[in-house]
Amino acid sequence: MGGQNAINSTGELIGASDLEMQSKQALHNIATILASENASFANLVKLNIYLVHGSDPRIGYKAFQEVSGILDNPPLVTVLFVSGNNSVLLYFNII
């Protein structure tokens, strides 16, 4: 699944400069797409998370657990720190 960020269904950025809110919005976007294909977070193999340098990946991981629930076999997670603007703090790429 190509990249997901914290843009909602009306095109608005949710949680500008708030990593927790952005993580949850992006994960809800992912859940919606997965559900449209009769899939769930349990079907993911790999999750790449691109975070703006200086962001705390534990915040995104906590949001992932809240949205996906505790998974018996969670996907492999890779976190990459990137340069970026201060409004959009993350980007997900999913396999």
Side-chain angles (χ1 to χ4, degrees):
M1 176 185 319
Q4 284 298 310
N5 56 23
I7 302 297
N8 69 11
S9 61
T10 62
E12 299 171 294
L13 174 64
I14 301 300
S17 302
D18 183 327
L19 182 57
E20 182 175 9
M21 287 182 67
Q22 286 191 26
S23 296
K24 287 180 180 178
Q25 179 62 47
L27 290 162
H28 284 296
N29 293 347
I30 292 166
T32 299
I33 294 165
L34 289 169
S36 76
E37 299 301 318
N38 297 313
S40 71
F41 286 100
N43 299 106
L44 297 182
V45 175
K46 185 165 179 20
L47 182 63
N48 295 321
I49 306 169
Y50 299 84
L51 290 176
V52 169
H53 184 72
S55 298
D56 185 350
R58 295 174 294 186
I59 294 169
Y61 186 71
K62 178 179 177 257
F64 177 78
Q65 287 184 315
E66 289 176 10
V67 174
S68 71
I70 303 300
L71 302 172
D72 290 334
N73 296 300
L76 173 67
V77 176
T78 301
V79 176
L80 301 110
F81 291 101
V82 298
S83 298
N85 75 43
N86 293 327
S87 295
V88 179
L89 302 176
L90 66 97
Y91 177 85
F92 286 93
N93 182 288
I94 299 101
I95 298 172

